[in-house]
Coordinates of all heavy atoms in Angstrom, one line a residue:
M1 N -4.2 -12.6 9.8 CA -4.1 -11.6 8.7 C -4.9 -12.0 7.5 O -4.8 -13.2 7.1 CB -2.6 -11.4 8.3 CG -2.4 -10.4 7.2 SD -0.7 -10.0 6.9 CE -0.2 -11.4 5.9
R2 N -5.7 -11.1 7.0 CA -6.5 -11.4 5.8 C -5.6 -11.1 4.6 O -5.0 -10.1 4.5 CB -7.8 -10.6 5.7 CG -9.0 -11.3 6.2 CD -10.2 -10.5 6.1 NE -10.7 -10.4 4.7 CZ -11.3 -11.4 4.1 NH1 -11.6 -12.5 4.7 NH2 -11.8 -11.2 2.9
R3 N -5.7 -12.0 3.6 CA -5.0 -11.7 2.3 C -6.0 -11.3 1.3 O -7.2 -11.5 1.4 CB -4.3 -13.0 1.8 CG -3.2 -13.4 2.8 CD -2.4 -14.5 2.2 NE -1.3 -14.7 3.1 CZ -0.3 -15.4 2.8 NH1 -0.2 -16.1 1.7 NH2 0.7 -15.6 3.6
S4 N -5.5 -10.6 0.3 CA -6.4 -10.1 -0.8 C -6.9 -11.3 -1.5 O -6.3 -12.4 -1.6 CB -5.6 -9.2 -1.7 OG -4.7 -9.9 -2.5
P5 N -8.1 -11.2 -2.1 CA -8.7 -12.3 -2.8 C -7.8 -12.8 -3.9 O -7.7 -14.0 -4.2 CB -10.0 -11.7 -3.4 CG -10.3 -10.6 -2.5 CD -9.0 -10.1 -2.0
S6 N -7.1 -11.9 -4.6 CA -6.2 -12.4 -5.7 C -5.1 -13.3 -5.2 O -4.8 -14.3 -5.9 CB -5.6 -11.2 -6.4 OG -4.8 -10.5 -5.6
F7 N -4.7 -13.1 -4.0 CA -3.7 -14.1 -3.4 C -4.3 -15.4 -3.0 O -3.8 -16.4 -3.2 CB -2.9 -13.4 -2.3 CG -1.8 -12.6 -2.7 CD1 -2.0 -11.2 -3.0 CD2 -0.5 -13.1 -2.9 CE1 -0.9 -10.4 -3.5 CE2 0.5 -12.3 -3.3 CZ 0.3 -11.0 -3.6
E8 N -5.5 -15.2 -2.4 CA -6.2 -16.4 -1.9 C -6.5 -17.4 -3.0 O -6.5 -18.6 -2.8 CB -7.5 -16.0 -1.1 CG -7.2 -15.4 0.2 CD -8.4 -14.9 0.9 OE1 -9.5 -15.0 0.3 OE2 -8.3 -14.3 2.0
H9 N -6.8 -16.9 -4.1 CA -7.3 -17.8 -5.2 C -6.2 -18.1 -6.3 O -6.5 -18.8 -7.2 CB -8.6 -17.2 -5.9 CG -9.7 -17.0 -4.9 ND1 -10.3 -18.1 -4.3 CD2 -10.2 -15.9 -4.3 CE1 -11.2 -17.6 -3.4 NE2 -11.2 -16.3 -3.4
H10 N -5.1 -17.6 -6.1 CA -4.0 -17.8 -7.1 C -3.4 -19.2 -6.8 O -3.1 -19.6 -5.7 CB -3.0 -16.7 -7.1 CG -2.1 -16.7 -8.3 ND1 -2.4 -16.1 -9.4 CD2 -0.9 -17.4 -8.5 CE1 -1.5 -16.3 -10.3 NE2 -0.6 -17.1 -9.8
N11 N -3.1 -19.9 -7.9 CA -2.5 -21.2 -7.8 C -0.9 -21.0 -7.8 O -0.3 -20.5 -8.7 CB -2.8 -22.0 -9.0 CG -2.2 -23.4 -9.0 OD1 -1.5 -23.7 -8.0 ND2 -2.6 -24.2 -9.9
F12 N -0.4 -21.3 -6.6 CA 1.1 -21.1 -6.4 C 1.9 -22.4 -6.7 O 3.0 -22.5 -6.4 CB 1.4 -20.7 -5.0 CG 0.9 -19.2 -4.8 CD1 -0.2 -19.0 -4.1 CD2 1.6 -18.2 -5.3 CE1 -0.7 -17.7 -3.8 CE2 1.2 -16.9 -5.0 CZ 0.1 -16.6 -4.3
A13 N 1.2 -23.5 -7.2 CA 1.9 -24.8 -7.4 C 3.1 -24.6 -8.3 O 4.1 -25.4 -8.1 CB 0.9 -25.8 -7.9
W14 N 3.1 -23.7 -9.2 CA 4.3 -23.6 -10.1 C 5.5 -23.3 -9.3 O 6.6 -23.6 -9.8 CB 4.0 -22.5 -11.1 CG 3.7 -21.1 -10.6 CD1 2.5 -20.6 -10.3 CD2 4.7 -20.1 -10.3 NE1 2.7 -19.3 -9.8 CE2 4.0 -19.0 -9.8 CE3 6.1 -20.0 -10.4 CZ2 4.7 -17.8 -9.4 CZ3 6.8 -18.9 -10.0 CH2 6.0 -17.8 -9.5
R15 N 5.4 -22.6 -8.2 CA 6.6 -22.3 -7.4 C 7.4 -23.5 -6.9 O 8.6 -23.4 -6.7 CB 6.2 -21.4 -6.2 CG 5.8 -20.0 -6.6 CD 5.5 -19.2 -5.4 NE 5.2 -17.8 -5.9 CZ 5.3 -16.7 -5.2 NH1 5.7 -16.8 -4.0 NH2 4.9 -15.6 -5.7
L16 N 6.7 -24.6 -6.8 CA 7.4 -25.8 -6.4 C 8.5 -26.3 -7.4 O 9.4 -27.0 -7.1 CB 6.4 -27.0 -6.2 CG 5.4 -26.7 -5.1 CD1 4.4 -27.8 -5.0 CD2 6.1 -26.6 -3.7
Q17 N 8.4 -25.8 -8.7 CA 9.3 -26.2 -9.7 C 10.3 -25.1 -10.1 O 11.0 -25.2 -11.0 CB 8.5 -26.6 -11.0 CG 7.6 -27.7 -10.8 CD 6.8 -28.0 -12.1 OE1 7.4 -28.3 -13.1 NE2 5.5 -27.9 -12.0
A18 N 10.3 -24.0 -9.3 CA 11.1 -22.9 -9.6 C 12.6 -23.2 -9.5 O 13.1 -23.7 -8.5 CB 10.8 -21.7 -8.6
L19 N 13.3 -23.0 -10.5 CA 14.8 -23.3 -10.6 C 15.6 -22.3 -9.7 O 16.7 -22.6 -9.3 CB 15.3 -23.2 -12.0 CG 15.1 -24.4 -12.9 CD1 16.0 -24.2 -14.1 CD2 15.5 -25.7 -12.2
C20 N 15.0 -21.2 -9.3 CA 15.8 -20.2 -8.5 C 15.8 -20.5 -7.1 O 16.6 -19.9 -6.3 CB 15.2 -18.8 -8.8 SG 13.4 -18.7 -8.5
V21 N 15.0 -21.5 -6.6 CA 15.1 -21.9 -5.2 C 16.5 -22.4 -4.9 O 17.0 -23.2 -5.6 CB 14.0 -23.0 -4.9 CG1 14.2 -23.5 -3.5 CG2 12.6 -22.5 -5.1
G22 N 17.1 -21.8 -3.9 CA 18.4 -22.2 -3.5 C 19.5 -21.3 -4.2 O 20.7 -21.4 -3.8
E23 N 19.1 -20.5 -5.2 CA 20.1 -19.6 -5.8 C 20.3 -18.4 -4.9 O 19.5 -18.1 -4.0 CB 19.6 -19.2 -7.2 CG 19.5 -20.3 -8.2 CD 20.9 -20.7 -8.8 OE1 21.9 -20.0 -8.4 OE2 20.9 -21.6 -9.5
D24 N 21.4 -17.7 -5.1 CA 21.7 -16.5 -4.3 C 20.6 -15.4 -4.7 O 20.5 -15.0 -5.8 CB 23.0 -16.0 -4.8 CG 23.4 -14.7 -4.0 OD1 22.6 -14.2 -3.2 OD2 24.5 -14.2 -4.3
P25 N 19.8 -15.0 -3.7 CA 18.8 -14.0 -3.9 C 19.3 -12.7 -4.6 O 18.6 -12.0 -5.4 CB 18.2 -13.7 -2.6 CG 18.6 -14.8 -1.7 CD 19.8 -15.4 -2.3
E26 N 20.6 -12.3 -4.2 CA 21.1 -11.1 -4.8 C 21.3 -11.2 -6.3 O 21.4 -10.2 -7.0 CB 22.5 -10.8 -4.2 CG 22.3 -10.3 -2.7 CD 23.6 -9.9 -2.1 OE1 24.6 -9.7 -2.8 OE2 23.6 -9.8 -0.8
M27 N 21.4 -12.4 -6.8 CA 21.5 -12.6 -8.3 C 20.1 -12.2 -8.9 O 20.1 -11.6 -10.0 CB 21.7 -14.1 -8.5 CG 22.2 -14.4 -9.9 SD 22.9 -16.1 -10.0 CE 21.4 -17.1 -10.3
F28 N 19.0 -12.5 -8.2 CA 17.7 -12.1 -8.8 C 17.2 -10.7 -8.4 O 16.3 -10.2 -9.0 CB 16.7 -13.2 -8.4 CG 16.9 -14.5 -9.1 CD1 17.8 -15.4 -8.8 CD2 16.1 -14.7 -10.3 CE1 18.0 -16.6 -9.5 CE2 16.3 -15.9 -11.0 CZ 17.3 -16.8 -10.6
F29 N 17.9 -10.2 -7.4 CA 17.5 -8.8 -7.0 C 18.8 -8.0 -6.9 O 19.2 -7.5 -5.8 CB 16.8 -8.9 -5.6 CG 15.4 -9.5 -5.7 CD1 15.3 -10.9 -5.5 CD2 14.3 -8.8 -6.1 CE1 14.1 -11.5 -5.6 CE2 13.1 -9.4 -6.2 CZ 13.0 -10.8 -5.9
P30 N 19.4 -7.7 -8.0 CA 20.6 -6.9 -8.0 C 20.4 -5.5 -7.7 O 19.2 -5.0 -7.9 CB 21.1 -7.1 -9.5 CG 19.9 -7.3 -10.3 CD 19.0 -8.1 -9.4
L31 N 21.4 -4.8 -7.3 CA 21.2 -3.4 -6.9 C 21.0 -2.5 -8.2 O 20.2 -1.6 -8.1 CB 22.5 -2.9 -6.2 CG 22.7 -3.4 -4.9 CD1 24.1 -2.9 -4.3 CD2 21.6 -3.1 -3.9
A32 N 21.5 -2.9 -9.3 CA 21.3 -2.2 -10.6 C 20.7 -3.1 -11.6 O 20.9 -4.3 -11.6 CB 22.7 -1.7 -11.1
E33 N 19.8 -2.6 -12.4 CA 19.1 -3.4 -13.4 C 19.8 -3.3 -14.8 O 19.2 -3.1 -15.8 CB 17.7 -2.9 -13.5 CG 16.8 -3.8 -14.3 CD 15.4 -3.2 -14.6 OE1 14.6 -3.3 -13.8 OE2 15.3 -2.6 -15.7
T34 N 21.1 -3.6 -14.7 CA 21.9 -3.6 -16.0 C 21.8 -5.0 -16.6 O 21.6 -6.0 -15.9 CB 23.3 -3.2 -15.7 OG1 23.9 -4.2 -14.9 CG2 23.4 -1.8 -15.1
E35 N 22.2 -5.0 -17.9 CA 22.3 -6.3 -18.6 C 23.2 -7.2 -17.9 O 23.0 -8.4 -17.7 CB 22.7 -6.0 -20.0 CG 22.9 -7.3 -20.9 CD 21.6 -8.0 -21.1 OE1 20.5 -7.3 -21.2 OE2 21.6 -9.2 -21.2
R36 N 24.4 -6.7 -17.5 CA 25.4 -7.5 -16.8 C 24.9 -8.0 -15.5 O 25.1 -9.2 -15.1 CB 26.7 -6.6 -16.6 CG 27.8 -7.3 -16.0 CD 29.0 -6.4 -15.8 NE 30.0 -7.0 -15.1 CZ 31.3 -7.1 -15.5 NH1 31.6 -6.5 -16.6 NH2 32.1 -7.7 -14.8
A37 N 24.2 -7.1 -14.7 CA 23.8 -7.5 -13.4 C 22.7 -8.6 -13.4 O 22.5 -9.3 -12.5 CB 23.3 -6.3 -12.6
T38 N 21.9 -8.6 -14.5 CA 20.7 -9.5 -14.5 C 21.0 -10.7 -15.4 O 20.2 -11.6 -15.4 CB 19.5 -8.8 -15.1 OG1 19.8 -8.3 -16.4 CG2 19.1 -7.6 -14.2
A39 N 22.1 -10.8 -16.1 CA 22.4 -11.8 -17.0 C 22.3 -13.2 -16.4 O 21.7 -14.2 -17.0 CB 23.7 -11.6 -17.7
R40 N 23.0 -13.4 -15.3 CA 23.0 -14.8 -14.7 C 21.6 -15.2 -14.3 O 21.3 -16.4 -14.5 CB 24.0 -14.8 -13.5 CG 25.4 -14.8 -13.9 CD 26.4 -14.7 -12.8 NE 26.2 -15.7 -11.8 CZ 26.3 -15.5 -10.5 NH1 26.6 -14.3 -10.0 NH2 26.0 -16.4 -9.6
A41 N 20.9 -14.4 -13.6 CA 19.5 -14.7 -13.2 C 18.7 -15.1 -14.4 O 17.9 -16.1 -14.4 CB 18.9 -13.6 -12.4
R42 N 18.8 -14.2 -15.4 CA 17.9 -14.5 -16.6 C 18.3 -15.8 -17.3 O 17.5 -16.4 -17.9 CB 18.0 -13.3 -17.5 CG 17.4 -12.0 -16.8 CD 17.4 -10.8 -17.7 NE 16.4 -11.0 -18.7 CZ 16.3 -10.2 -19.7 NH1 17.0 -9.1 -19.8 NH2 15.3 -10.4 -20.7
A43 N 19.6 -16.2 -17.2 CA 20.0 -17.4 -17.8 C 19.4 -18.6 -17.1 O 19.0 -19.6 -17.7 CB 21.5 -17.5 -17.8
V44 N 19.2 -18.5 -15.7 CA 18.6 -19.5 -15.0 C 17.1 -19.6 -15.4 O 16.5 -20.6 -15.6 CB 18.7 -19.2 -13.4 CG1 17.8 -20.2 -12.6 CG2 20.1 -19.3 -13.0
C45 N 16.5 -18.4 -15.5 CA 15.0 -18.3 -15.9 C 14.8 -19.1 -17.2 O 13.8 -19.8 -17.4 CB 14.6 -16.9 -16.0 SG 14.5 -16.0 -14.4
R46 N 15.7 -18.9 -18.1 CA 15.5 -19.4 -19.5 C 15.5 -21.0 -19.5 O 15.1 -21.6 -20.4 CB 16.5 -18.8 -20.5 CG 16.1 -17.4 -20.8 CD 16.9 -16.9 -22.0 NE 18.3 -16.7 -21.8 CZ 18.8 -15.6 -21.2 NH1 18.0 -14.6 -20.9 NH2 20.1 -15.5 -21.0
Q47 N 16.1 -21.5 -18.4 CA 16.1 -23.0 -18.2 C 14.9 -23.5 -17.4 O 14.7 -24.7 -17.2 CB 17.4 -23.5 -17.6 CG 18.6 -23.1 -18.3 CD 18.7 -23.7 -19.7 OE1 18.4 -24.9 -19.8 NE2 19.0 -23.0 -20.7
C48 N 14.1 -22.6 -16.8 CA 13.1 -22.9 -15.8 C 11.8 -23.4 -16.4 O 11.3 -22.7 -17.3 CB 12.9 -21.6 -14.9 SG 11.7 -21.9 -13.6
P49 N 11.3 -24.5 -15.9 CA 10.1 -25.0 -16.5 C 8.8 -24.2 -16.2 O 7.8 -24.4 -16.9 CB 9.9 -26.4 -15.9 CG 10.7 -26.3 -14.6 CD 11.8 -25.3 -14.8
V50 N 8.9 -23.3 -15.3 CA 7.7 -22.5 -14.9 C 7.9 -21.0 -15.3 O 7.2 -20.1 -14.7 CB 7.3 -22.6 -13.5 CG1 6.9 -24.1 -13.2 CG2 8.5 -22.3 -12.5
L51 N 8.7 -20.7 -16.3 CA 9.0 -19.3 -16.7 C 7.8 -18.5 -17.0 O 7.6 -17.4 -16.5 CB 10.0 -19.3 -17.9 CG 10.4 -18.0 -18.4 CD1 11.8 -18.1 -19.1 CD2 9.4 -17.4 -19.4
L52 N 6.9 -19.1 -17.7 CA 5.7 -18.3 -18.1 C 4.7 -18.1 -17.0 O 4.1 -17.0 -16.9 CB 4.9 -19.0 -19.3 CG 5.7 -19.1 -20.6 CD1 4.9 -19.9 -21.7 CD2 6.1 -17.7 -21.1
D53 N 4.6 -19.1 -16.1 CA 3.7 -18.9 -14.9 C 4.3 -17.8 -14.0 O 3.6 -16.9 -13.5 CB 3.6 -20.2 -14.1 CG 2.9 -21.2 -14.8 OD1 1.7 -21.0 -15.1 OD2 3.4 -22.3 -15.0
C54 N 5.6 -17.8 -13.9 CA 6.3 -16.9 -13.0 C 6.2 -15.4 -13.6 O 5.9 -14.5 -12.9 CB 7.8 -17.3 -12.9 SG 8.8 -16.1 -12.1
R55 N 6.4 -15.3 -14.9 CA 6.3 -14.0 -15.5 C 4.9 -13.5 -15.4 O 4.7 -12.3 -15.1 CB 6.7 -14.1 -17.0 CG 6.7 -12.8 -17.8 CD 7.0 -13.0 -19.2 NE 8.4 -13.5 -19.4 CZ 8.8 -13.9 -20.5 NH1 8.1 -14.0 -21.6 NH2 10.1 -14.3 -20.6
D56 N 3.9 -14.3 -15.7 CA 2.5 -13.9 -15.6 C 2.2 -13.4 -14.2 O 1.6 -12.4 -14.0 CB 1.6 -15.1 -16.0 CG 0.2 -14.7 -16.0 OD1 -0.2 -13.8 -16.7 OD2 -0.6 -15.3 -15.2
W57 N 2.6 -14.2 -13.2 CA 2.4 -13.8 -11.8 C 3.0 -12.4 -11.5 O 2.4 -11.5 -10.9 CB 2.9 -14.8 -10.8 CG 2.5 -14.6 -9.4 CD1 1.3 -15.1 -8.9 CD2 3.1 -13.8 -8.5 NE1 1.3 -14.7 -7.6 CE2 2.3 -13.9 -7.3 CE3 4.2 -13.0 -8.5 CZ2 2.6 -13.2 -6.1 CZ3 4.6 -12.3 -7.3 CH2 3.8 -12.4 -6.2
A58 N 4.3 -12.2 -11.9 CA 5.0 -11.0 -11.6 C 4.3 -9.8 -12.3 O 4.2 -8.7 -11.7 CB 6.4 -11.1 -12.0
I59 N 3.8 -10.0 -13.5 CA 3.2 -8.9 -14.2 C 1.8 -8.6 -13.6 O 1.5 -7.4 -13.3 CB 3.0 -9.2 -15.7 CG1 4.4 -9.3 -16.3 CG2 2.1 -8.2 -16.4 CD1 4.4 -9.9 -17.7
R60 N 1.1 -9.6 -13.3 CA -0.3 -9.4 -12.7 C -0.2 -8.8 -11.3 O -1.1 -8.0 -10.9 CB -1.0 -10.7 -12.6 CG -1.5 -11.2 -14.0 CD -2.2 -12.6 -13.8 NE -2.5 -13.2 -15.0 CZ -3.7 -12.9 -15.7 NH1 -4.5 -12.1 -15.1 NH2 -3.9 -13.4 -16.9
H61 N 0.8 -9.1 -10.6 CA 0.9 -8.6 -9.2 C 1.8 -7.4 -9.0 O 2.1 -7.0 -7.9 CB 1.3 -9.7 -8.2 CG 0.2 -10.8 -8.1 ND1 0.1 -11.8 -9.0 CD2 -0.8 -10.9 -7.3 CE1 -0.9 -12.5 -8.7 NE2 -1.5 -12.0 -7.6
G62 N 2.3 -6.9 -10.2 CA 3.0 -5.6 -10.1 C 4.4 -5.7 -9.4 O 4.7 -4.8 -8.7
E63 N 5.0 -6.9 -9.5 CA 6.4 -7.0 -8.9 C 7.3 -5.9 -9.4 O 7.6 -5.8 -10.6 CB 7.0 -8.4 -9.2 CG 6.4 -9.4 -8.3 CD 6.8 -9.3 -6.8 OE1 7.8 -8.5 -6.5 OE2 6.2 -9.9 -6.0
T64 N 7.7 -5.0 -8.5 CA 8.5 -3.8 -9.0 C 10.0 -4.0 -8.9 O 10.7 -3.1 -9.3 CB 8.1 -2.6 -8.1 OG1 8.3 -2.9 -6.7 CG2 6.6 -2.2 -8.4
D65 N 10.4 -5.2 -8.3 CA 11.9 -5.4 -8.2 C 12.3 -6.8 -8.7 O 11.5 -7.7 -8.6 CB 12.3 -5.3 -6.7 CG 12.0 -3.9 -6.1 OD1 12.5 -2.9 -6.7 OD2 11.3 -3.8 -5.1
G66 N 13.5 -6.8 -9.1 CA 14.1 -8.1 -9.4 C 13.7 -8.7 -10.7 O 13.0 -8.2 -11.5
V67 N 14.4 -9.9 -11.0 CA 14.2 -10.6 -12.2 C 13.1 -11.7 -11.9 O 13.3 -12.5 -11.0 CB 15.5 -11.3 -12.7 CG1 15.2 -12.3 -13.8 CG2 16.5 -10.2 -13.0
W68 N 12.1 -11.7 -12.7 CA 11.0 -12.7 -12.6 C 10.7 -13.2 -14.0 O 10.5 -12.4 -14.9 CB 9.7 -12.1 -12.0 CG 9.8 -11.7 -10.6 CD1 10.5 -10.6 -10.1 CD2 9.2 -12.4 -9.5 NE1 10.3 -10.6 -8.7 CE2 9.5 -11.6 -8.3 CE3 8.4 -13.5 -9.4 CZ2 9.1 -12.0 -7.1 CZ3 8.0 -13.9 -8.1 CH2 8.3 -13.1 -7.0
G69 N 10.8 -14.5 -14.3 CA 10.4 -15.0 -15.6 C 11.2 -14.4 -16.7 O 10.6 -14.1 -17.8
D70 N 12.4 -14.2 -16.5 CA 13.3 -13.7 -17.6 C 13.0 -12.3 -18.0 O 13.2 -11.8 -19.1 CB 13.4 -14.6 -18.8 CG 14.5 -14.3 -19.8 OD1 15.5 -13.6 -19.4 OD2 14.3 -14.6 -21.0
T71 N 12.4 -11.5 -17.0 CA 12.1 -10.1 -17.3 C 12.7 -9.3 -16.1 O 12.7 -9.7 -15.0 CB 10.6 -9.8 -17.4 OG1 9.9 -10.2 -16.2 CG2 10.0 -10.5 -18.6
T72 N 13.1 -8.1 -16.5 CA 13.5 -7.1 -15.5 C 12.3 -6.3 -15.1 O 11.2 -6.3 -15.7 CB 14.5 -6.1 -16.0 OG1 14.0 -5.4 -17.1 CG2 15.8 -6.9 -16.5
A73 N 12.4 -5.5 -14.0 CA 11.3 -4.7 -13.5 C 10.9 -3.7 -14.6 O 9.7 -3.5 -14.8 CB 11.7 -3.9 -12.3
S74 N 11.8 -3.1 -15.3 CA 11.4 -2.1 -16.4 C 10.7 -2.8 -17.5 O 9.8 -2.2 -18.1 CB 12.6 -1.3 -16.8 OG 13.6 -2.1 -17.4
Q75 N 11.1 -4.0 -17.9 CA 10.4 -4.7 -18.9 C 9.0 -5.0 -18.5 O 8.1 -4.9 -19.3 CB 11.2 -6.0 -19.3 CG 12.5 -5.8 -20.0 CD 13.3 -7.0 -20.2 OE1 13.3 -7.9 -19.3 NE2 13.9 -7.2 -21.3
R76 N 8.8 -5.4 -17.3 CA 7.4 -5.7 -16.8 C 6.6 -4.4 -16.8 O 5.4 -4.5 -17.1 CB 7.4 -6.4 -15.4 CG 8.1 -7.8 -15.5 CD 7.9 -8.5 -14.2 NE 8.4 -7.9 -13.0 CZ 9.7 -8.0 -12.6 NH1 10.5 -8.7 -13.3 NH2 10.1 -7.3 -11.6
R77 N 7.2 -3.3 -16.4 CA 6.4 -2.0 -16.4 C 6.0 -1.7 -17.9 O 4.8 -1.3 -18.1 CB 7.3 -0.9 -15.9 CG 7.2 -0.7 -14.4 CD 7.8 0.6 -14.0 NE 9.2 0.9 -14.4 CZ 10.2 0.4 -13.8 NH1 10.1 -0.3 -12.7 NH2 11.4 0.6 -14.2
A78 N 6.9 -2.0 -18.8 CA 6.5 -1.7 -20.2 C 5.4 -2.6 -20.7 O 4.5 -2.2 -21.4 CB 7.8 -1.9 -21.1
I79 N 5.5 -3.9 -20.3 CA 4.4 -4.8 -20.6 C 3.1 -4.4 -20.1 O 2.0 -4.4 -20.7 CB 4.8 -6.3 -20.2 CG1 6.0 -6.8 -21.0 CG2 3.6 -7.2 -20.3 CD1 6.6 -8.0 -20.4
R80 N 3.1 -4.0 -18.8 CA 1.8 -3.5 -18.1 C 1.3 -2.3 -18.8 O 0.1 -2.2 -19.0 CB 2.0 -3.3 -16.6 CG 2.1 -4.6 -15.8 CD 1.9 -4.3 -14.3 NE 3.1 -3.5 -13.8 CZ 4.2 -4.1 -13.4 NH1 4.3 -5.4 -13.4 NH2 5.2 -3.3 -13.0
S81 N 2.2 -1.4 -19.1 CA 1.7 -0.1 -19.8 C 1.1 -0.4 -21.2 O 0.1 0.2 -21.5 CB 2.9 0.8 -20.0 OG 3.4 1.2 -18.7
A82 N 1.8 -1.3 -21.9 CA 1.2 -1.7 -23.2 C -0.2 -2.3 -23.1 O -1.1 -2.1 -23.9 CB 2.2 -2.6 -23.9
A83 N -0.3 -3.2 -22.0 CA -1.6 -3.8 -21.8 C -2.7 -2.8 -21.5 O -3.8 -3.0 -21.9 CB -1.5 -4.9 -20.7
V84 N -2.4 -1.8 -20.7 CA -3.3 -0.8 -20.3 C -3.8 0.0 -21.6 O -4.9 0.4 -21.7 CB -2.7 0.1 -19.2 CG1 -3.6 1.4 -19.0 CG2 -2.6 -0.6 -17.9
R85 N -2.8 0.3 -22.5 CA -3.1 1.1 -23.7 C -4.1 0.4 -24.6 O -4.7 1.0 -25.5 CB -1.9 1.5 -24.4 CG -1.1 2.7 -23.6 CD 0.0 3.3 -24.5 NE 1.0 2.3 -24.9 CZ 2.1 2.1 -24.2 NH1 2.3 2.7 -23.1 NH2 3.0 1.2 -24.6
R86 N -4.0 -1.0 -24.6 CA -4.9 -1.7 -25.5 C -6.3 -1.6 -25.2 O -6.8 -1.4 -24.2 CB -4.4 -3.2 -25.5 CG -3.3 -3.4 -26.4 CD -3.0 -4.9 -26.5 NE -1.6 -5.1 -26.3 CZ -1.1 -6.1 -25.6 NH1 -1.8 -7.0 -25.1 NH2 0.2 -6.2 -25.4
Ligands
LIG101 S1 11.4 -18.1 -14.2 FE1 13.2 -17.4 -13.1 S2 12.5 -16.2 -11.3 FE2 10.7 -17.4 -12.1 S3 10.7 -19.3 -10.9 FE3 11.9 -19.7 -12.7 S4 14.0 -19.3 -12.1 FE4 12.7 -18.3 -10.6

């Protein structure tokens, strides 16, 4: 299987330091994107040494679900929309 160039050339080393490894995936991918449902995952993110790398990756690759880098999917959509308008 061929991967897109953006995946082939992206540095994934930051993932080795991800604090969410071993956490319950449902915490990071809750059914609802409420403050209450995402609070625990976002608290883990705020302690994570690779928060900015993770957030940048999720925004650049259009991750449409879950908590990445202390952001929800709707927050990342807003960030991408603001970037497009600039
Ligand atoms: S910032 Fe959050 S989602 Fe990203 S690697 Fe760290 S703990 Fe995981």
Side-chain angles (χ1 to χ4, degrees):
M1 178 172 83
R2 263 184 74 78
R3 294 186 174 193
S4 70
S6 62
F7 276 87
E8 287 175 359
H9 300 294
H10 195 86
N11 182 356
F12 290 104
W14 60 268
R15 291 185 175 202
L16 298 174
Q17 299 176 61
L19 278 190
C20 52
V21 172
E23 295 283 356
D24 179 359
E26 289 185 15
M27 194 165 91
F28 284 82
F29 294 92
L31 293 177
E33 191 188 278
T34 63
E35 178 67 31
R36 183 183 174 126
T38 60
R40 285 177 50 220
R42 297 182 70 188
V44 173
C45 290
R46 287 192 290 274
Q47 301 297 314
C48 182
V50 293
L51 182 153
L52 295 179
D53 292 302
C54 174
R55 181 184 295 169
D56 180 62
W57 190 92
I59 292 168
R60 288 178 185 273
H61 292 86
E63 280 294 341
T64 57
D65 297 305
V67 172
W68 292 74
D70 192 24
T71 60
T72 63
S74 60
Q75 288 173 322
R76 293 190 302 276
R77 273 195 303 277
I79 292 168
R80 281 194 296 274
S81 294
V84 167
R85 286 193 298 271
R86 277 189 228 137

